[in-house]
Amino acid sequence: MPARLKSILAALLASLACGSAHATASFDCTIEDKNVSIELQGNLGSGDGAVLQIPNGTIKIKPVRGKLDAVEFDVAKGTLAQQWTFDKELRIGLVTDEVKDVSAYLVIIGQQGKPKDDLTQWKGRYILKVQGPKGATELKGSIKSCQAG
């Protein structure tokens, strides 16, 4: 192996071994309204463009007369389709597995507010697009607080 290639490989391996010096914070987002009951738990890295992981949670859709029956989705690894944290903005996209012939795509759009008790908080809105046997339905509502700390 040429010396130059060895030095590049050694530098790459050293950078991977060092890992990130950024801390992570626990992430919690609870939404409760007439349409849904959503609980998401995970971890959020620090800084702009921080990685968000949501390994568990639930999305419970409440019945909508003539359109939807009640259905519950478990949030698992691989459900997170998109995530964005930059400056004071938080955006999350979750795709569910199909349950009872129903699937959903949840979008959370939040704006960071003033920290409270050393917790970073976002307020905003959600959009939940649901596809089921009775057709497509879009549910919308506000987010009182998603937080990390």
Side-chain angles (χ1 to χ4, degrees), residues 30-47:
T30 302
I31 302 167
E32 181 74 43
D33 66 15
K34 67 179 183 170
N35 298 318
V36 297
S37 178
I38 299 171
E39 301 233 356
L40 306 173
Q41 298 89 31
N43 299 301
L44 178 65
S46 62

Side-chain angles (χ1 to χ4, degrees), residues 47-93:
D48 286 336
V51 174
L52 175 64
Q53 299 171 333
I54 302 177
N56 54 37
T58 56
I59 300 171
K60 296 177 185 175
I61 301 173
K62 298 175 182 175
V64 178
R65 189 175 202 177
K67 294 183 179 182
L68 286 171
D69 295 328
V71 65
E72 180 175 339
F73 302 97
D74 284 327
V75 174
K77 290 182 180 179
T79 307
L80 185 62
Q82 299 176 13
Q83 62 93 18
W84 178 264
T85 57
F86 185 76
D87 202 14
K88 294 183 178 265
E89 186 174 87
L90 171 72
R91 292 185 185 233
I92 301 170

Side-chain angles (χ1 to χ4, degrees), residues 15 18 21 31 41-42 51 53 57 63 78 82 84 94 102 108-109 132 136-137:
S15 68
C18 290
I31 302 167
Q41 298 89 31
V51 174
Q53 299 171 333
Q82 299 176 13
W84 178 264
L94 294 167
V102 177
I108 293 175
I109 302 168
T137 302

Side-chain angles (χ1 to χ4, degrees), residues 118-144:
D118 292 330
L119 296 174
T120 302
Q121 296 192 353
W122 294 270
K123 293 184 181 190
R125 62 190 174 107
Y126 75 86
I127 302 165
L128 183 65
K129 294 189 175 194
V130 183
Q131 182 66 46
K134 298 177 185 176
T137 302
E138 185 172 281
L139 305 171
K140 298 178 181 182
S142 64
I143 299 166
K144 306 288 188 262

